[in-house]
């Protein structure tokens, strides 16, 4: 890990984008625009940008099956599997930097619907799970990782992957009637109703201090999805830009206890890419 600027480390790679069919639902162009606005608005400088390496097959295999990885890497994912996924990498680097610096953010990540042997919900590979499993396994004793998932959709893939792993605690606050239709069981699920607004939503975060005290993680991975926002096309909740207060609360609560936190941007859906990118940049501004 390099020694550069003393400011907030932000992980970004130009390879976060790839070509999708015209009018595809996933807003692929948001990733570079997040970085654009962070630099344009002088939230960070270019010296604070860390560039991750491409994830190796060996790294990914700590979560995903060999057959799925072979098909994925060799472009043999069949049409049915492609439809299931709907179509990032840097979460591990953000987590590694957070362990050294206390706090780091990525301009992508949060692909929490991917399962070991298949992708789902625009998620091909589960970055949160790979980062957690790798960092849990490369220390002795094993690191304990708390995954705080505030994307509007339940992190079903992550919950499934860690359902029997005592060193990882999965905490999800999500819209109960939203995707995925069939939920998995996280260690703590908070299911909220359609149309919930800021005040009621923010009250769900009261669980976090208790989790930090009882589970005592060595690292927190924070999925700061902005799809609970009232303008999100797939969200069904009514949150405003008070998402800033949500993100600030999560990161302050964790860091004040001396626990490192790595944040990823999670879900967010809008045809107005610039407006969406600015919304995703809320977590970096809070950090």
């Amino acid at each position: 890990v390099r020694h550069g600027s003393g400011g907030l480390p932000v992980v970004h790679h130009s390879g976060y984008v790839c070509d999708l069919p015209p009018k595809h639902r996933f807003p692929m162009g948001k990733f570079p625009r997040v970085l654009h606005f962070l630099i344009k608005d002088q939230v960070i400088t270019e010296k604070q940008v860390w560039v991750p390496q491409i994830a190796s097959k060996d790294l990914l295999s700590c979560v995903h099956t060999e057959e799925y990885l072979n098909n994925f890497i060799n472009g043999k994912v069949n049409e049915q599997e492609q439809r299931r996924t709907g179509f990032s990498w840097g979460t591990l680097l953000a987590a590694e930097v957070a362990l050294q610096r206390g706090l780091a953010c990525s301009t992508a990540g949060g692909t929490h619907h991917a399962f070991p042997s298949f992708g789902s919900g625009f998620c091909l590979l589960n970055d949160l799970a790979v980062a957690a499993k790798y960092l849990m396994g490369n220390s002795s004793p094993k690191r304990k990782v708390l995954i705080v998932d505030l994307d509007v959709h339940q992190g079903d893939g992550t919950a499934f992957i860690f359902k029997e792993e005592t060193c990882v605690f999965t905490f999800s606050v999500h819209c109960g009637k939203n995707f995925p239709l069939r939920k998995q069981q996280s260690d703590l699920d908070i299911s909220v109703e359609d149309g919930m607004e800021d005040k009621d939503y923010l009250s769900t975060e009261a669980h976090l201090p208790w989790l930090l005290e009882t589970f005592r993680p060595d690292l927190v991975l924070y999925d700061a999805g902005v799809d609970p926002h009232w303008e999100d096309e797939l969200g069904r909740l009514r949150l405003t830009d008070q998402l800033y207060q949500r993100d600030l609360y999560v990161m302050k609560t964790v860091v004040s206890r001396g626990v490192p936190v790595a944040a990823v941007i999670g879900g967010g859906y809008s045809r107005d890419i610039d407006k969406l990118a600015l919304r995703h940049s809320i977590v970096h501004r809070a950090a």
Side-chain angles (χ1 to χ4, degrees), residues 71-85:
N71 288 340
F72 176 77
I73 292 167
N74 296 325
K76 294 179 180 177
V77 176
N78 65 41
E79 187 176 347
Q80 181 183 356
E81 289 170 327
Q82 289 177 32
R83 284 201 298 268
R84 181 191 273 153
T85 60

Side-chain angles (χ1 to χ4, degrees), residues 36-247:
H36 165 81
F37 285 116
L38 290 176
I39 293 173
K40 176 178 177 288
D41 295 347
Q42 299 183 339
V43 179
I44 65 167
T45 67
E46 291 186 5
K47 290 182 179 180
Q48 290 169 249
V49 179
W50 297 60
V51 180
Q53 295 179 332
I54 294 174
S56 69
K57 183 181 174 184
D58 284 347
L59 172 64
L60 298 175
S61 66
C62 73
V63 165
H64 295 284
T65 65
E66 184 176 4
E67 181 182 10
Y68 178 61
L69 288 175
N70 286 338
N71 288 340
F72 176 77
I73 292 167
N74 296 325
K76 294 179 180 177
V77 176
N78 65 41
E79 187 176 347
Q80 181 183 356
E81 289 170 327
Q82 289 177 32
R83 284 201 298 268
R84 181 191 273 153
T85 60
F87 41 170
S88 52
W89 214 253
T91 301
L92 176 57
L93 177 59
E96 289 179 321
V97 175
L99 285 169
Q100 291 203 10
R101 300 275 288 271
L103 177 63
C105 298
S106 177
T107 59
T111 48
H112 57 176
H113 297 308
F115 283 71
S117 60
F118 62 90
S120 178
F122 305 134
C123 301
L124 300 168
L125 302 167
N126 196 313
D127 62 320
L128 293 166
V130 171
K133 203 147 192 178
Y134 176 80
L135 292 172
M136 177 186 68
N138 77 343
S139 66
S140 182
K142 292 199 323 190
R143 284 191 185 93
K144 297 172 71 176
V145 181
L146 170 61
I147 299 176
V148 177
D149 192 336
L150 301 188
D151 190 285
V152 80
H153 307 104
Q154 191 211 33
D156 55 336
T158 315
F160 176 84
I161 289 164
F162 293 120
K163 62 184 178 181
E164 296 178 357
E165 176 52 69
T166 58
C167 286
V168 176
F169 192 102
T170 52
F171 170 39
S172 177
V173 179
H174 52 267
C175 180
K177 295 180 181 176
N178 210 323
F179 179 90
L181 181 63
R182 182 187 176 197
K183 306 290 191 287
Q184 299 292 322
Q185 186 171 345
S186 307
D187 292 304
L188 177 60
D189 283 305
I190 306 295
S191 177
V192 303
E193 296 296 323
D194 285 19
M196 179 174 278
E197 298 182 354
D198 289 324
K199 185 178 179 181
D200 290 335
Y201 180 89
L202 293 174
S203 70
T204 64
E205 296 177 3
H207 296 277
L208 185 57
W210 169 78
L211 286 176
L212 292 169
E213 293 299 325
T214 56
F215 182 65
R216 304 185 73 82
D218 300 300
L219 172 69
V220 170
L221 299 179
Y222 175 40
D223 185 334
V226 297
D227 38 13
H229 196 275
W230 71 272
E231 288 187 295
D232 194 87
E233 294 174 3
L234 303 179
R236 299 173 69 159
L237 300 186
R238 301 287 299 171
L239 273 62
T240 67
D241 287 348
Q242 288 291 308
L243 287 168
Y244 179 90
Q245 295 303 324
R246 176 198 71 171
D247 296 342

